[in-house]
Amino acid sequence: MGDTLGMDRRTAVGAMAGLGVAAVAGTAMGAGDSIPRSELGWDAQKKEYTLPPLPYAYDALEPHIDEQTMRLHHDKHHAGYVRGLNRALAALAGIRSGEVDASLIKHWSRELSFHGSGHVNHLLFWAGMAPAGEGGGGEPTGALAEAIARDFGSFQAFTAQFQAAAGAVEGSGWAWLVHEPLADRLMVIQMEKHQDLTVSGVNPILGIDVWEHAYYLRYQNRRKAYVKAFSNVINWTRADDLLARSRA
Ligand SMILES: [Fe+2]
């Protein structure tokens, strides 16, 4: 009742996961399990997604990720994905009610996948970083450190693969450390755009955005320098927590 999108929040997220929202988030988990529901930006009153604030100041990741990049990235690019997600959900509701041409369902479903994944990916990205020396950087500890050593041979070997994957994403996309819960294995995957080339059912542990909007102001074409600098702001405590959630 009063649901302008024709679906409640849980249904919306379920649909997002099923259609590839954060396909990295995968059908096994859905976004809600890796991001506290209160941080997902769902406005239960308006029945639409909103853009949550960054979990730290815009300049908190300096000098590795600059303030201007963070402002544009969060306030413009991420905000655009939220708008696109809401637009797609509204259009699909319109298809259900007969107010939107049903022959456009393929278009709007693709829009849902792209923008919904863009929204969730960025939430995961922001939460996956912390100011250098204040929760960011260093090496993983605990269960995640053990799993990385088991599945990649060493932290150094993991880092080399992760950075190489990030550096070699063709066009715009991401690199992710993910956990495949059925076999309890970690793997590194590339993702083109916000949702292509993922592996079904895996849960995100750590991701780096390698769209040019994530680094071009400071690093220009030197993506590898940005990827290397990213290691100084990785929030390994958060990553370890996501592994625990994935294994639960
Ligand atoms: Fe981005």
Side-chain angles (χ1 to χ4, degrees):
M1 52 186 184
D3 185 345
T4 55
L5 294 179
M7 59 172 71
D8 64 18
R9 189 213 158 277
R10 178 176 294 272
T11 306
V13 171
M16 286 161 60
L19 288 169
V21 161
V24 77
T27 52
M29 145 183 121
D33 292 331
S34 60
I35 305 172
R37 295 198 186 281
S38 60
E39 297 176 14
L40 196 57
W42 177 250
D43 187 324
Q45 300 298 319
K46 294 181 178 177
K47 304 291 185 186
E48 65 180 20
Y49 288 87
T50 61
L51 177 65
L54 287 177
Y56 33 68
Y58 290 103
D59 63 355
L61 305 181
E62 291 270 12
H64 308 291
I65 302 181
D66 62 285
E67 178 180 355
Q68 187 181 13
T69 293
M70 291 295 286
R71 284 188 181 280
L72 290 169
H73 198 170
H74 177 268
D75 296 0
K76 303 298 182 185
H77 294 280
H78 188 173
Y81 300 129
V82 173
R83 285 196 303 274
L85 169 58
N86 288 329
R87 195 163 54 236
L89 288 171
L92 290 165
I95 287 175
R96 290 195 297 277
S97 66
E99 296 166 7
V100 173
D101 183 354
S103 70
L104 296 175
I105 192 166
K106 183 175 178 180
H107 166 74
W108 287 113
S109 297
R110 291 175 72 97
E111 287 285 290
L112 174 64
S113 179
F114 178 80
H115 291 285
S117 299
H119 174 46
V120 174
N121 288 351
H122 283 87
L123 288 175
L124 292 165
F125 182 54
W126 309 134
M129 297 186 288
E134 300 172 43
E139 296 188 9
T141 57
L144 179 57
E146 293 175 13
I148 286 175
R150 181 195 67 181
D151 295 342
F152 297 98
S154 66
F155 178 66
Q156 289 69 30
F158 154 74
T159 299
Q161 182 180 345
F162 184 78
Q163 294 190 355
V169 171
E170 188 172 11
S172 300
W174 301 72
W176 292 93
L177 169 64
V178 298
H179 179 242
E180 193 284 282
L182 299 178
D184 183 31
R185 303 294 294 182
L186 294 172
M187 56 182 85
V188 168
I189 63 171
Q190 290 184 322
M191 175 183 284
E192 292 181 3
K193 299 193 291 183
H194 291 311
Q195 76 282 15
D196 292 346
L197 299 185
T198 187
V199 176
S200 294
V202 299
N203 295 325
I205 303 298
L206 172 71
I208 178 172
D209 185 344
V210 293
W211 284 59
E212 287 185 346
H213 67 223
Y215 62 88
Y216 213 82
L217 288 178
R218 172 150 295 182
Y219 296 95
Q220 290 82 49
N221 62 318
R222 294 175 291 117
R223 185 197 288 183
K224 287 183 179 175
Y226 156 69
V227 170
K228 195 171 181 182
F230 173 75
S231 65
N232 295 303
V233 293
I234 294 173
N235 184 345
W236 285 113
T237 301
R238 156 82 177 183
D240 187 45
D241 183 52
L242 291 185
L243 177 62
R245 288 169 184 251
S246 182
R247 282 175 161 171

